[in-house]
Structure formats: C-alpha cells, structure tokens
C-alpha cells in the first residue's frame, strides 16, 4: 500500500520566540512546493501559536511534544489537548524516549496520553524504541511489542487508523549513530506485523511508521527507500533550516 510520507521535526527544548519564527518561516519557504508528502513541526509549547501563525498559509502541520489526558485542571507543567488545538496544533508526540527516560513516563501513562489526544481530536504520534542494552541483550523486539501493546491498549481500530507510530531506537537519538537501513526496516516490519495481529492487515498497512534517530541529509534517502519506513522524526537536524529543508526534500 502506498502511504503518504510524513517528515517531522522535533525542536525539543530549543528556540526562543524570535528564533522559532525565523526557523518556521524558512521551513515554510523551502516546503511550499512539496505536495506529495506531509511536513510537521513540533516546536516548544511557548511558541506553538507563533509558529502556527507564521505558517498559517502553508500546509505544514503543527504538533506538541507531549499532551495531557485531561482537558484542564490541576496538572502543573502539563499541556492539554484543547490548549494544543487552540494554539493551532493537530497532533502530539507521545512517549518520546526523553519523556520515558528522564521523566519516567511508563507505558501506562503513555497510553493515557494517547487516549487523551484521540478523545480531543489530536493525532497521536506514539514513539517507541529500545535502549542499547536491550538491543544487545536480544530484548529489542520484546520491548517494542510491550510498548506497542500497552501504549495502544483500548485504542479502537478506527482510532488506530488515525495514528502515527515512530520507531526511535534510544541508542540512535541525538548520538549521531543511526540504525542501519536493515535494522530500521526490520523493526518497522515487526511493528507493522504486530499491528496487523492486533488490528487488521488493512489498518496496519495504512499506519505511517516513522523512523527517528540521527536522521540527516546523508542517510534520509536510503532510510526512506525502505518498504516499511514512511517518514522521519528528526531532532538535531530539524533545528537548522538548511539541513531540515534538504531532509524534507528527499527523493
Ligand atoms: C528525536 O528527537 O526524536 C530524534 C530522533 O532526535 P535526533 O534526530 O537528534 O536523533
């Protein structure tokens, strides 16, 4: 099945308001002609609405880097799905390895966030990925299976069809070490097969699975050429218009 490529930039905890507006404008300019792929930016919460405003005449999608399961209330430091939507966001990254590793978010919390996003009409981008220790210990696929099954617990087939999954091996994030195209394809095929078991083949075939982990201008083409890699979630290389523009213009 042909899936529309999705290239996403995760700005993490980078950019002031002025820097974010400049970067968004440059990315808007270099992506205006791209009509065969989706481009998505996940800026910090503080600049979501500014970036959405700068890009209001573009096709670029805006996402938050996390999202709470509640709409409002006493959840200091969190952002609600309604807030993301009101700032111009249409999606939310959930379960990023930095959230899991540094802020101890587990599969159960990730699952609550997925349901929160879905309930309020945001597209969840569910991040999964094994650590180096898990890979070297032969546990990579068991870990991925747990993250997928628990992260998606209670998600209906209809909702699954709206979701995006991002395979991001923890050892490849921000390290300059990319999974080889074979390693990445193997993990993506595993996730797709698992989704087919949990849902239906048609649904599994329609879900976009992004690869993340030191994607750059030199490796994007070979990664994107893999059968089950439908896009990229880019961190470091998304912070410079020059590199992100070359990545999103992959051939
Ligand atoms: C990420 O933040 O999801 C990521 C993959 O980062 P980097 O591209 O820097 O490895």
């Amino acid at each position: 099945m042909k899936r529309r490529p999705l290239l996403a930039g995760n700005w993490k905890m980078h950019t002031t308001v002025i820097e974010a507006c400049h970067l968004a404008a440059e990315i808007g300019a270099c992506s205006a002609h791209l009509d065969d792929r989706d481009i998505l930016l996940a800026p910090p919460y503080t600049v979501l609405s500014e970036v959405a405003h700068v890009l209001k005449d573009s096709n670029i999608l805006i996402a938050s880097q996390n999202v709470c399961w509640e709409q409002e209330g006493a959840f200091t430091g969190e952002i609600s799905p309604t807030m993301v939507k009101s700032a111009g966001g249409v999606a939310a990254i959930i379960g990023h390895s930095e959230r899991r590793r540094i802020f101890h978010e587990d599969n159960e919390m990730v699952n609550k966030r997925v349901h929160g996003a879905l309930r309020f009409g945001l597209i969840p981008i569910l991040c999964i990925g094994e650590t180096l220790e898990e890979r070297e210990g032969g546990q990579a696929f068991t870990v991925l299976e747990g993250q997928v099954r628990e992260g998606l617990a209670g998600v209906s087939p209809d909702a699954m069809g709206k979701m995006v999954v991002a395979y991001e091996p923890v050892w490849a994030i921000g390290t300059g070490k990319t999974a080889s195209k074979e390693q990445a394809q193997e993990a993506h095929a595993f996730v797709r097969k698992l989704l087919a078991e949990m849902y239906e083949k048609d649904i599994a075939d329609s879900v976009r699975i992004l690869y993340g982990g030191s994607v750059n201008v030199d490796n994007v083409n070979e990664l994107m050429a893999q059968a089950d890699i439908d896009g990229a979630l880019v961190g470091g290389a998304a912070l410079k218009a020059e590199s992100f523009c070359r990545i999103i213009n992959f051939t």
Side-chain angles (χ1 to χ4, degrees), residues 41-97:
L41 296 178
Y45 304 144
T46 47
V47 294
L48 275 175
S49 45
E50 280 84 355
V51 168
H53 182 72
V54 168
L55 295 172
K56 66 180 184 319
D57 296 324
S58 78
N59 290 326
I60 295 183
L61 308 168
I62 307 293
S64 57
Q65 296 176 16
N66 205 349
V67 72
C68 189
W69 49 92
E70 293 290 345
Q71 192 177 357
E72 61 180 7
F75 297 91
T76 303
E78 289 284 324
I79 187 165
S80 81
T82 334
M83 291 170 179
V84 175
K85 284 176 73 176
S86 73
V90 296
I93 295 175
I94 298 174
H96 190 280
S97 75

Side-chain angles (χ1 to χ4, degrees), residues 90-223:
V90 296
I93 295 175
I94 298 174
H96 190 280
S97 75
E98 286 148 20
R99 298 303 314 175
R100 294 177 186 263
R101 188 169 47 83
I102 306 170
F103 300 100
H104 309 295
E105 295 194 12
D106 59 10
N107 287 335
E108 196 185 329
M109 182 179 284
V110 166
N111 180 249
K112 282 172 81 170
R113 294 187 187 281
V114 165
H115 282 285
L118 287 169
R119 192 162 59 244
F120 294 102
L122 287 178
I123 302 164
I125 303 172
L126 172 65
C127 300
I128 56 170
E130 80 286 357
T131 63
L132 187 57
E133 209 180 8
E134 288 159 348
R135 176 161 281 266
E136 289 179 346
Q139 294 299 304
F141 294 100
T142 312
V143 170
L144 293 180
E145 178 161 358
Q147 290 173 337
V148 170
R149 287 195 185 275
E150 291 174 40
L152 294 175
V155 171
S156 69
D158 191 38
M160 187 64 229
K162 301 190 177 85
M163 287 196 46
V164 173
V165 176
Y167 168 62
E168 301 205 293
V170 180
W171 47 274
I173 298 183
T175 58
K177 264 194 222 163
T178 320
S180 68
K181 58 183 191 306
E182 292 82 8
Q183 283 172 322
Q185 165 57 25
E186 185 186 28
H188 282 232
F190 172 82
V191 172
R192 201 176 304 285
K193 190 161 162 280
L194 179 58
L195 291 175
E197 267 169 51
M198 292 168 61
Y199 295 93
E200 275 170 20
K201 188 169 181 307
D202 278 5
I203 290 173
D205 282 344
S206 70
V207 171
R208 288 182 289 187
I209 307 178
L210 315 183
Y211 169 79
S214 300
V215 173
N216 59 40
V217 288
D218 297 320
N219 58 28
V220 65
N221 285 351
E222 65 173 19
L223 286 163

